[in-house]
């Protein structure tokens, strides 16, 4: 490609052989991308590169004060003092009155099937592990895992109190799987889960400071993988870990 990223093009017949479904019509595979578990990455980095670091989970910060030193106050009345503070709470920046009109939290929900049987794997052509991303920022994401499961994420819900319908999301997952794999009408979903991302109006993250000692970073949206069934309107995918550049 002109921008220097090594890639390969695939058409429907090739994709059907690779993925076990003829749902997708065209794809670009970009080389060099990797998949990371962010929780494991953080837990691995902290003891390796940050000596003397303490991690406190489930500790909600309600406000800051710089008049009597740089302090963060928890919801249980405790004070945390530091020379400098970086606020990296992504979806929840508006709760601390940071960039209140800049971003909104979205809830993403994923489901994963049980491991496929030998006969089911053969029906797919016994594929190797793969992952597909829609060409659209709001597109569905699917993965075929190393233990022969299919994972799908094709929903996004703006986070407003009491508006989230978890069961409805799982039903969309089932429909999305059936559209791609009609040969498995009764495949079981073994687990589902939800998480938050932060989406800004222009799709870009933000970094700034409240004063010379308190900084903030947010509006990170999963490498533009926030989701919607609208992805199915454009049946093009990226088989790697980077955004597609359409030719």
């Amino acid at each position: 490609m002109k921008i220097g990223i090594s890639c390969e093009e695939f058409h429907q017949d090739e994709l059907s052989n690779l993925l076990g479904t003829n749902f997708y019509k065209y794809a670009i595979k970009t080389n060099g991308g990797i998949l990371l578990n962010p929780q494991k990455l953080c837990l691995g980095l902290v003891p390796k590169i940050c000596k003397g670091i303490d991690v406190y989970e489930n500790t909600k910060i309600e406000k800051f004060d710089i008049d009597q030193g740089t302090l963060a106050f928890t919801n249980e009345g405790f004070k945390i003092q530091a020379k400098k503070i970086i606020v990296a709470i992504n979806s929840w920046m508006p709760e601390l009155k940071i960039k209140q009109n800049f971003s909104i939290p979205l809830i993403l929900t994923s489901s994963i099937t049980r491991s496929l049987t030998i006969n089911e794997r053969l029906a797919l052509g016994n594929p190797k592990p793969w992952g597909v991303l829609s060409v659209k920022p709001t597109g569905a994401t699917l993965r075929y895992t190393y233990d022969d499961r299919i994972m799908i994420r094709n929903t996004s819900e703006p986070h407003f109190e009491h508006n989230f319908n978890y069961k409805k999301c799982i039903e969309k997952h089932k429909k999305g799987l059936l559209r791609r794999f009609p040969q498995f009408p009764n495949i079981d979903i073994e687990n589902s889960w939800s998480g938050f991302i932060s989406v800004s109006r222009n799709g870009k993250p933000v970094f700034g400071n409240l004063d010379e000692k308190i900084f903030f970073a947010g509006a990170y949206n999963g490498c533009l993988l926030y989701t919607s069934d609208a992805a199915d309107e454009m049946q093009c995918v990226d088989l790697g870990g980077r955004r597609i550049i359409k030719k």
Side-chain angles (χ1 to χ4, degrees):
M1 273 192 176
K2 292 181 180 179
I3 61 174
I5 297 176
S6 174
C7 68
E8 302 173 67
E9 296 183 69
F10 294 89
H11 295 275
Q12 187 173 17
D13 289 344
E14 298 168 298
L15 291 172
S16 181
N17 291 331
L18 286 170
L19 309 179
T21 173
N22 62 4
F23 180 83
Y24 297 104
K25 306 299 187 291
Y26 176 76
I28 296 174
K29 179 181 180 180
T30 54
N31 300 313
I34 60 174
L35 292 172
L36 289 174
N37 181 318
Q39 181 188 36
K40 289 184 178 180
L41 175 65
C42 290
L43 292 176
L45 286 177
V46 168
K48 293 292 183 180
I49 64 175
C50 302
K51 303 298 182 182
I53 295 293
D54 295 320
V55 177
Y56 299 92
E57 296 186 87
N58 301 315
T59 304
K60 184 176 180 180
I61 303 299
E62 290 195 330
K63 62 178 181 178
F64 303 100
D65 187 349
I66 61 171
D67 293 333
Q68 300 177 358
T70 307
L71 299 174
F73 294 84
T74 74
N75 62 327
E76 296 182 348
F78 294 100
K79 300 177 183 178
I80 301 174
Q81 187 167 14
K83 294 180 179 179
K84 293 182 180 180
I85 294 174
I86 299 177
V87 183
I89 54 176
N90 207 31
S91 305
W92 310 114
M93 286 194 306
E95 286 201 359
L96 289 175
K97 298 181 172 55
I98 300 172
K99 291 289 185 179
Q100 289 179 280
N101 299 318
F102 187 85
S103 64
I104 61 170
L106 289 183
I107 306 174
L108 305 187
T109 303
S110 300
S111 288
I112 193 166
T113 69
R114 59 166 170 76
S115 294
L116 301 186
T117 65
I118 294 177
N119 288 336
E120 288 169 338
R121 297 199 297 270
L122 290 174
L124 291 182
N126 205 23
K128 295 180 180 179
W130 51 257
V132 296
L133 317 177
S134 170
V135 70
K136 290 189 175 182
T138 53
T141 297
L142 275 86
R143 286 186 61 194
Y144 186 83
T145 67
Y146 285 93
D147 56 351
D148 302 299
R149 303 170 188 266
I150 302 173
M151 186 179 74
I152 185 170
R153 189 266 297 125
N154 65 347
T155 64
S156 65
E157 306 283 342
H159 175 65
F160 301 110
E161 194 171 1
H162 308 308
N163 77 320
F164 181 55
N165 190 325
Y166 188 66
K167 291 183 178 179
K168 184 178 178 181
C169 292
I170 297 174
E171 286 302 315
K172 287 185 178 180
H173 296 161
K174 292 178 179 178
K175 291 179 181 178
L177 287 172
L178 187 60
R179 291 183 67 186
R180 293 162 175 82
F181 304 101
Q183 64 269 50
F184 303 143
N186 300 312
I187 192 168
D188 298 321
I189 286 180
E190 190 167 274
N191 198 7
S192 300
W193 63 96
S194 296
F196 290 90
I197 62 171
S198 180
V199 178
S200 62
R201 295 180 67 181
N202 63 3
K204 298 184 181 299
V206 62
F207 184 86
N209 58 295
L210 301 179
D211 54 50
E212 73 267 9
K213 294 183 179 180
I214 302 178
F215 302 84
F216 61 85
Y220 295 104
N221 54 24
C223 296
L224 298 181
L225 303 189
Y226 46 93
T227 60
S228 167
D229 284 334
D232 296 338
E233 297 172 10
M234 180 67 75
Q235 296 166 344
C236 303
V237 294
D238 176 11
L239 301 182
R242 303 183 181 182
R243 290 190 66 189
I244 289 179
I245 307 298
K246 292 187 70 176
K247 298 182 74 173

